[in-house]
Amino acid sequence: MELKRIKKNCNRKQVKAGSAIFGNGNFAVIAGPCAIEGREMLIDTAKHLKLKNTSMLRGGAFKPRTSPYSFQGLEVEGLKYMKEASELTGMPVVTEIMDPRDIDKIYPYTDMFQIGSRNMQNFALLKEVGKYDKPVLLKRGLAATIEDFLFAAEYIAVEGNSDIVLCERGIRGFDSYTRNTLDISAVPLLKELSMLPVIIDPSHGTGLRSLILPMTLAGLAAGADGVMIEVHPCPSQALSDGEQSLDFNDFDRLMEKLLEVESCFKDIRER
Ligand code: PEP
Ligand code: MN
């Protein structure tokens, strides 16, 4: 069956989330902690990221955790810190929504809805965000084919909202050295098949801090329109995903490298 709303045509789609621009040559950097753990840590992180010209702040307030006994997120309290960090720095924000019943709760606090891997085929949720006027960051499911992924985006677009950014975040592989296998080939392929911008998440895609810079560069060379990276003021103390989070120094090095090479791949992104 064919895609209708998000199919590749002569124009590539540009998606804006506040001042963050995805597509048409721009390379957006989304960064921030896996979870919003408190006010101070979020504001400190946001201030640092802003200094480095980060496009957008991320942070989970409703967290999809493997175990129900792990930290589940600060929920609306966390969203309030997120809004404060956004107002203080001027950076737009993205946060995950897991349940269609939470949409009105989250809507006032975020510039973009994130639909995580575990919910990529939560069709009720896809349809619900499709009815709203806020862009959606859709992450590839842990075991989703390219077709599953594209049709999940089509579900959102059918409802009227085609401001969608696709995020390749790795799929389950058989090798336990890495948390997932980041499918770099998905980047040019998704851009060949759809008009939507595509970004990569090398943090969840590998699970390993040391692989974030090389994978970011690989994504860039493959035509990615941006990257989403977990950054924490003290990764060893993080309540979730510390081993795949950069500290501020590592993040600065990554941004310096990106500044050096990002423009070399503009023509590939625009294709
Ligand atoms: C996240 O980005 O916070 C997250 C939980 O990622 P994923 O849905 O890709 O596992
Ligand atoms: Mn995480």
Side-chain angles (χ1 to χ4, degrees), residues 33-35 58 63 139 179 201 203-204 230 240-241 244-245:
C34 178
R58 64 150 286 147
K63 293 300 299 174
K139 301 190 81 176
R179 183 176 180 185
D201 171 352
S203 300
H204 293 90
E230 288 185 334
S240 59
D241 289 352
Q244 65 183 43
S245 300

Side-chain angles (χ1 to χ4, degrees), residues 39-49 233 248:
R39 184 176 174 276
E40 298 308 302
M41 68 80 72
L42 188 71
I43 289 179
D44 286 355
T45 308
K47 282 184 178 162
H48 185 85
L49 297 175
F248 293 172

Side-chain angles (χ1 to χ4, degrees), residues 124-159:
L125 182 60
L126 298 172
K127 286 180 185 173
E128 194 62 18
V129 296
K131 294 182 188 129
Y132 285 74
D133 59 352
K134 241 181 233 295
V136 180
L137 178 64
L138 180 64
K139 301 190 81 176
R140 184 176 181 179
L142 299 153
T145 63
I146 294 289
E147 188 175 60
D148 295 336
F149 193 13
L150 289 171
F151 277 111
E154 188 83 11
Y155 260 97
I156 301 171
V158 163
E159 299 299 322

Side-chain angles (χ1 to χ4, degrees), residues 58 63-64 96 114 116-118 139 169 201 204 228:
R58 64 150 286 147
K63 293 300 299 174
E96 179 162 353
Q114 176 174 323
S117 294
R118 291 155 193 83
K139 301 190 81 176
R169 51 76 74 204
D201 171 352
H204 293 90
M228 177 148 95

Side-chain angles (χ1 to χ4, degrees), residues 169-244:
R169 51 76 74 204
I171 45 180
R172 280 260 161 96
F174 54 79
D175 195 326
S176 54
Y177 268 90
T178 47
R179 183 176 180 185
N180 291 293
T181 299
L182 188 66
D183 180 6
I184 293 289
S185 68
V187 175
L189 184 54
L190 291 166
K191 291 182 71 163
E192 216 170 283
L193 298 170
S194 91
M195 62 174 180
L196 301 177
V198 179
I199 69 167
I200 62 159
D201 171 352
S203 300
H204 293 90
T206 66
L208 295 172
R209 184 179 306 129
S210 63
L211 300 185
I212 293 177
L213 175 61
M215 288 300 98
T216 298
L217 297 176
L220 186 67
D225 299 293
V227 70
M228 177 148 95
I229 293 171
E230 288 185 334
V231 176
H232 192 281
C234 183
S236 61
Q237 304 283 305
L239 296 181
S240 59
D241 289 352
E243 56 303 323
Q244 65 183 43

Side-chain angles (χ1 to χ4, degrees), residues 3 18 21 23 26 40 74 78 90 93 101 112 129 137 141 145 157 160 162 178 184-185 231 233 242 263:
L3 296 170
I21 299 174
N26 202 61
E40 298 308 302
L74 295 180
V93 295
R101 291 169 297 188
M112 189 178 210
V129 296
L137 178 64
T145 63
S162 59
T178 47
I184 293 289
S185 68
V231 176
S263 60

